[in-house]
Amino acid sequence: MYCGPLRSRIGWKRVRTDPRVKLYWAEGPIKALCLTWHGIPTIAFNGLDCWSTDKVPIGDFDLFTWKGREVVMLVDSDVPSNVNARRSIQR
């Protein structure tokens, strides 16, 4: 999981622990870097399926409070034509 430098007054500690803070999940660290640079808390993975090992979420997820949190997934533009990407989103 990638968490870039967050240019915001709230900081990553609050983002991780306060489920009232909306979190964005980008497919790729460059997108996340751009968003966090602009103060939008965004985590990134190198692909839609890189969040788990053997369908078990990676340990980085334990750093965040998830219950009650709104998460927005930002996927690549090839989702309409990429069968694997569509399957990943449906999971």
Side-chain angles (χ1 to χ4, degrees):
M1 176 186 301
Y2 173 79
C3 300
L6 183 59
R7 292 175 51 134
S8 169
R9 284 184 264 145
I10 61 173
W12 276 113
K13 182 177 181 181
R14 179 166 169 221
V15 171
R16 287 192 312 268
T17 59
D18 186 350
R20 296 172 296 175
V21 177
K22 185 188 302 186
L23 185 64
Y24 292 80
W25 175 338
E27 186 181 0
I30 294 174
K31 291 182 197 92
L33 178 60
C34 180
L35 289 163
T36 56
W37 184 258
H38 290 284
I40 301 169
T42 308
I43 59 173
F45 297 89
N46 286 326
L48 290 173
D49 291 325
C50 295
W51 61 270
S52 67
T53 301
D54 297 325
K55 307 245 190 262
V56 175
I58 62 172
D60 291 356
F61 279 102
D62 294 339
L63 299 172
F64 289 83
T65 301
W66 295 102
K67 187 173 182 164
R69 182 184 299 274
E70 181 179 359
V71 179
V72 178
M73 288 186 69
L74 306 169
V75 298
D76 288 345
S77 61
D78 67 346
V79 169
S81 62
N82 186 327
V83 174
N84 292 327
R86 287 196 312 272
R87 283 188 196 134
S88 293
I89 290 172
Q90 292 171 350
R91 283 187 233 148

